[in-house]
Amino acid sequence: MSYHLSVPWFLCLTLILVGMPLQAVGAITAKKIATIGIGSGPELRHPSDVLVNSRGEIFVLDGVNNRVVHYDAQGQYLNQFGKGGSKPGEFNNPLGMAMNRDGNLYVADTGNSRVQFFSSDGQYLHHIELPHDGDGRKPDPTDVAIDDVRNKLYVVDNDNHKVLVYDLKQKRFKRYIGGMGMKGGELRWPFSIKLDRQGRIFVVDVINTTVKSYLPDEKRHFDASIGKWGVERGELFRPKGVAIDDRDEVYISDSFLGVIQVFDNQGRFLSVLLDEEGQLLKFITPTRLHFDQKGLLYVVEMFAHRVTLYEIGR
């Protein structure tokens, strides 16, 4: 995965961007509520994803440590599962995960080129081997999403520039979304994926510096592009995470600019996320984002080794 973050590149680029005109406008604010991963349980190292179940329990994918760390609704450590390796239930630098309606987890086991399925208490159940691309390149899963209504599992295949569509009932891959390119619904090194309440598919298209949305209808996929390259408001430099709130507004993290921007689901820019004083809210390598059932926003700050929790205001 040639585009993955490297610490020296990120630090240098941060210094360059400090003086650039990324100005905050709008009225969407975020109040910091808590920090996950500091002060309770094992230390995190470059976490890459976070999910919250219906009971408010928090699951953090601590990929460099090859594990999922489980916290209660107050952020207190409960337990963990996984370790490094290639056997069932073991991980090799996993990057993304998704949760079904029963609270069970699908984990994109990136280094092992597979997706693994775990019960809500962390017991390994089974795994899905991914198909190789036509030219023989290994699959490179970086994220997953589950559509419980349509019984579909979506797997982001980063190095092959596509999203694989797996039928959970028939237990086979049926088609894919994307393909290498810069036009329409084509992708270049996609990284993250999220679904909205209607089943629309939002894919972070990193090198094309946009988020692509697709309809779940198999006959008509591509719907819209959100954002474009740049460092001004409404523009993206290195998008990495996406989440959709209960207003169907789309939050996009920019790992290099260190900000989160908000768009409507057709791509109209709404705001850069602000702090309570109306100032630009800065993050340290924000990657994956997640809204829980209460509407609280969880932000994975990869190089800060933490997950921060915010209450959104207007």
Side-chain angles (χ1 to χ4, degrees):
M1 291 172 284
S2 58
Y3 73 91
H4 284 178
L5 295 176
S6 62
V7 176
W9 187 15
F10 167 75
L11 293 177
C12 293
L13 189 53
T14 299
L15 294 176
I16 294 171
L17 291 173
V18 165
M20 288 190 174
L22 180 62
Q23 301 299 322
V25 297
I28 301 178
T29 61
K31 176 183 178 181
K32 186 175 179 179
I33 301 297
T35 301
I36 308 298
I38 297 177
S40 175
E43 292 185 359
L44 303 176
R45 186 180 176 198
H46 298 158
S48 57
D49 208 351
V50 60
L51 295 173
V52 183
N53 68 16
S54 59
R55 297 188 298 273
E57 295 171 348
I58 303 157
F59 298 81
V60 176
L61 186 57
D62 190 17
V64 173
N65 287 320
N66 292 302
R67 63 189 176 188
V68 176
V69 185
H70 182 193
Y71 304 87
D72 67 16
Q74 287 71 48
Q76 296 302 305
Y77 171 75
L78 292 175
N79 51 52
Q80 60 185 297
F81 63 89
K83 64 178 182 178
S86 58
K87 296 179 181 178
E90 298 177 343
F91 298 125
N92 183 0
N93 293 314
L95 281 173
M97 58 184 179
M99 183 179 292
N100 68 12
R101 64 177 56 156
D102 297 322
N104 300 320
L105 292 171
Y106 284 86
V107 179
D109 187 8
T110 309
N112 286 321
S113 300
R114 64 189 179 188
V115 174
Q116 298 203 71
F117 183 39
F118 296 85
S119 66
S120 57
D121 60 359
Q123 297 300 309
Y124 167 81
L125 298 176
H126 65 83
H127 68 271
I128 301 169
E129 297 289 348
L130 307 182
H132 282 62
D133 200 52
D135 62 2
R137 280 180 301 186
K138 288 176 60 177
D140 182 33
T142 56
D143 203 8
V144 287
I146 297 173
D147 187 335
D148 284 309
V149 174
R150 297 172 180 83
N151 291 304
K152 296 292 190 297
L153 174 71
Y154 298 96
V155 183
V156 177
D157 187 349
N158 174 270
D159 276 355
N160 293 303
H161 317 286
K162 63 180 65 171
V163 176
L164 304 170
V165 184
Y166 184 82
D167 190 303
L168 291 165
K169 256 187 173 178
Q170 299 179 14
K171 297 184 179 180
R172 65 185 181 92
F173 287 96
K174 296 188 68 176
R175 58 188 176 92
Y176 69 85
I177 296 169
M180 176 63 164
M182 302 172 64
K183 299 177 182 178
E186 295 174 336
L187 300 167
R188 289 197 297 163
W189 286 278
F191 184 68
S192 298
I193 186 170
K194 274 290 197 302
L195 307 183
D196 70 8
R197 294 173 297 175
Q198 292 75 42
R200 281 180 66 193
I201 306 147
F202 294 80
V203 181
V204 179
D205 188 7
V206 177
I207 302 303
N208 284 330
T209 62
T210 187
V211 170
K212 300 282 179 67
S213 69
Y214 305 84
L215 301 174
D217 184 348
E218 294 189 12
K219 295 181 180 179
R220 181 173 171 271
H221 303 309
F222 178 61
D223 186 42
S225 288
I226 301 173
K228 62 180 182 178
W229 185 87
V231 295
E232 301 282 357
R233 60 181 184 268
E235 298 175 341
L236 306 170
F237 195 87
R238 276 298 180 269
K240 277 297 175 73
V242 61
I244 298 91
D245 68 9
D246 58 8
R247 296 171 178 243
D248 289 330
E249 293 175 350
V250 182
Y251 288 62
I252 302 172
S253 64
D254 194 309
S255 62
F256 278 11
L257 297 182
V259 299
I260 295 173
Q261 301 194 66
V262 187
F263 301 78
D264 70 18
N265 62 15
Q266 291 301 313
R268 185 173 69 92
F269 172 73
L270 300 177
S271 178
V272 179
L273 205 59
L274 311 175
D275 65 20
E276 292 181 277
E277 298 178 352
Q279 301 300 310
L280 184 67
L281 185 57
K282 294 286 287 183
F283 302 87
I284 300 174
T285 52
T287 50
R288 297 272 165 59
L289 308 173
H290 179 74
F291 279 102
D292 69 10
Q293 293 185 350
K294 297 178 180 178
L296 299 176
L297 176 65
Y298 292 72
V299 181
V300 177
E301 295 185 86
M302 180 178 281
F303 286 172
H305 314 291
R306 67 191 180 199
V307 176
T308 44
L309 171 57
Y310 292 87
E311 182 180 71
I312 301 300
R314 302 279 170 167

